[in-house]
């Protein structure tokens, strides 16, 4: 009887989960790990290099690059909290993850993603002020305002997503403790619950709209105002020069929001989509933006390239 009671209690509140990886592609996990590992290394090197370049070059201590550094820090924490575990699953078939660790990973993924969205919005606001109100740029975006923006974005992500672990902590996981995913994610965990979860799902949707959804709407609005201002400039050369200052940021927006929206929509509404496509898109969302952000700014921004050259010369 005691054994049965313990077994039931374990089923209801498992001490560990088992990560399945990418369903249907378990046989090629070792091959999939190669691009995963390469992308992770490039992401680490790129974001660390970006932080060092901005730190050592005082000419880059401007709002756009400071917000970019905040984005890089969030990217580094996000990838480092997920990719090593994914690689251990692929390389060593180490599937176990403790319940508390799983909830912590889930919280970090969602809160840091929310922070990333906020930093991209802050960068859009910087572009709006720089183009639409250039004479007031330095008076509006003062160091105090930049710090306040950063702290507000971090606070929003940390607080709004803090209920997520508690919403899942005391639920009954009586179906299985196997997570059909490469990492712990809210929707992947909620599918294992055998009790009513409508309120928890509704809260998750509301938070997603109030953060990523609202951020995206405000970014679109800022660029509509930017385009109105640009098209009112007297010459074509002036219009092209002004728009060129936004190219890097537009690429960052596309790289971040495209896989984010695909992952969100396929998880909640794409019931007919094959499971491995769900998981693949979710991993693209974690892997590609942190790698591409420093690459985009390194390629598209002359000052970052010059900063990298100066940094390498100093080190040599």
């Amino acid at each position: 009887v005691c054994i049965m009671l313990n077994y039931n209690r374990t089923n209801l509140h498992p001490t560990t989960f088992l990560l399945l990886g990418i369903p249907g592609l378990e046989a090629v996990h070792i091959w999939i790990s190669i691009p995963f590992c390469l992308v992770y290394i490039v992401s680490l090197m790129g974001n660390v290099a970006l932080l060092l370049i901005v730190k050592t070059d005082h000419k880059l201590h401007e709002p756009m690059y400071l917000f970019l550094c905040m984005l890089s820090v969030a990217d580094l924490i996000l990838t480092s909290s997920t990719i090593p575990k994914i690689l251990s699953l692929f390389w060593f078939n180490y599937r176990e993850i403790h319940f508390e660790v799983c909830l912590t990973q889930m919280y970090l993924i969602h809160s840091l993603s929310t922070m990333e969205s906020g930093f991209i919005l802050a960068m859009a606001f910087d572009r709006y002020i720089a183009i639409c109100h250039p004479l007031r740029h330095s008076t509006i975006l003062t160091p105090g305002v930049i710090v306040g923006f950063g702290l507000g974005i971090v606070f929003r992500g940390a607080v709004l997503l803090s209920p997520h672990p508690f919403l899942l902590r005391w639920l009954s996981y009586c179906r299985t403790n196997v997570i059909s995913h490469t990492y712990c994610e809210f929707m992947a965990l909620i599918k294992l619950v055998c009790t009513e979860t409508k309120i928890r799902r509704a809260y998750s949707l509301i938070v997603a709209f109030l953060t990523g959804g609202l951020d995206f709407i405000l970014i679109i609005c800022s660029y509509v105002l930017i385009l109105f201002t640009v098209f009112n400039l007297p010459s074509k050369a002036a219009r092209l020069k002004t728009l060129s200052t936004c190219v890097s940021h537009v690429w960052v927006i596309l790289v971040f929001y495209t896989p984010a929206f695909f992952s969100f929509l396929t998880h909640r509404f794409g019931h007919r989509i094959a499971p491995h496509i769900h998981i693949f898109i979710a991993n693209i969302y974690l892997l590609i933006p942190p790698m591409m952000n420093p690459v985009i700014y390194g390629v598209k921004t002359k000052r970052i390239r010059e900063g990298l050259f100066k940094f390498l010369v100093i080190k040599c």
Side-chain angles (χ1 to χ4, degrees):
V1 175
C2 291
I3 294 173
M4 182 59 72
L5 287 173
N6 288 333
Y7 175 79
N8 288 339
R9 191 177 295 114
T10 302
N11 269 344
L12 293 174
H13 302 290
T15 56
T16 59
F17 283 116
L18 295 176
L19 294 166
L20 186 61
I22 303 179
L25 299 177
E26 291 89 348
V28 292
H29 273 175
I30 192 68
W31 296 106
I32 296 172
S33 71
I34 296 172
F36 273 52
C37 185
L38 291 174
V39 168
Y40 180 50
I41 292 170
V42 172
S43 177
L44 289 178
M45 293 174 62
N47 284 290
V48 169
L50 183 64
L51 291 170
L52 291 174
I53 290 166
V54 175
K55 182 179 182 296
T56 53
D57 190 343
H58 293 285
K59 292 181 180 179
L60 293 174
H61 291 185
E62 296 179 359
M64 189 68 170
Y65 302 112
L66 295 175
F67 288 134
L68 181 60
C69 285
M70 296 177 195
L71 180 63
S72 288
V73 172
D75 284 338
L76 285 169
I77 300 172
L78 178 63
T79 53
S80 296
S81 65
T82 52
I83 306 303
K85 177 59 183 174
I86 294 172
L87 291 176
S88 71
L89 188 157
F90 288 165
W91 287 341
F92 311 113
N93 202 33
Y94 186 68
R95 301 176 181 275
E96 283 193 3
I97 183 168
H98 289 284
F99 186 49
E100 287 75 15
V101 175
C102 186
L103 293 180
T104 302
Q105 187 186 69
M106 179 204 66
Y107 171 71
L108 287 173
I109 289 168
H110 292 292
S111 62
L112 288 166
S113 297
T114 299
M115 293 176 200
E116 287 177 334
S117 178
F119 294 135
I120 293 172
L121 173 61
M123 293 162 75
F125 180 70
D126 169 78
R127 290 299 85 202
Y128 164 73
I129 298 297
I131 293 171
C132 299
H133 305 282
L135 299 178
R136 299 175 59 196
H137 184 261
S138 59
T139 57
I140 293 174
L141 288 174
T142 61
V145 170
I146 294 168
V147 172
F149 259 120
L151 291 176
I153 290 165
V154 171
F155 182 79
R156 182 190 70 163
V159 171
L160 282 181
L161 277 300
S162 60
H164 271 53
F166 299 101
L167 289 173
L168 297 176
R169 179 67 181 86
W170 304 112
L171 292 176
S172 298
Y173 296 86
C174 57
R175 291 177 180 171
T176 179
N177 69 333
V178 177
I179 302 173
S180 297
H181 213 300
T182 53
Y183 57 84
C184 293
E185 192 261 351
F186 184 83
M187 288 304 295
L189 281 170
I190 208 80
K191 291 175 182 177
L192 308 182
V193 177
C194 55
T195 53
E196 183 57 57
T197 59
K198 284 185 179 179
I199 294 175
R200 292 168 175 83
R201 289 172 184 262
Y203 178 79
S204 179
L205 281 170
I206 291 168
V207 169
F209 174 75
L210 290 177
T211 54
L214 189 59
D215 289 349
F216 185 72
I217 292 170
L218 292 174
I219 289 168
I220 295 298
C221 291
S222 71
Y223 271 94
V224 168
L225 295 173
I226 286 170
L227 289 174
F228 272 123
T229 301
V230 167
F231 288 129
N232 285 326
L233 292 175
S235 67
K236 183 180 179 181
R239 290 195 290 270
L240 291 174
K241 185 178 180 180
T242 304
L243 282 175
S244 68
T245 64
C246 299
V247 171
S248 298
H249 185 241
V250 170
W251 275 110
V252 168
I253 293 168
L254 292 174
V255 166
F256 178 82
Y257 280 104
T258 302
F261 281 132
F262 268 107
S263 181
F264 177 83
L265 292 172
T266 54
H267 257 300
R268 285 167 174 80
F269 308 110
H271 302 298
R272 295 183 180 179
I273 297 175
H276 66 273
I277 296 177
H278 279 281
I279 310 306
F280 183 76
I281 293 172
N283 281 280
I284 290 294
Y285 170 58
L286 280 187
L287 285 164
I288 300 303
M291 180 192 72
M292 290 303 298
N293 292 340
V295 171
I296 289 168
Y297 272 88
V299 171
K300 295 289 185 181
T301 309
K302 183 180 178 181
R303 294 173 68 176
I304 295 289
R305 293 198 302 272
E306 290 174 349
L308 177 60
F309 179 74
K310 289 178 183 178
F311 180 77
L312 292 175
V313 168
I314 291 170
K315 289 298 179 183
C316 292

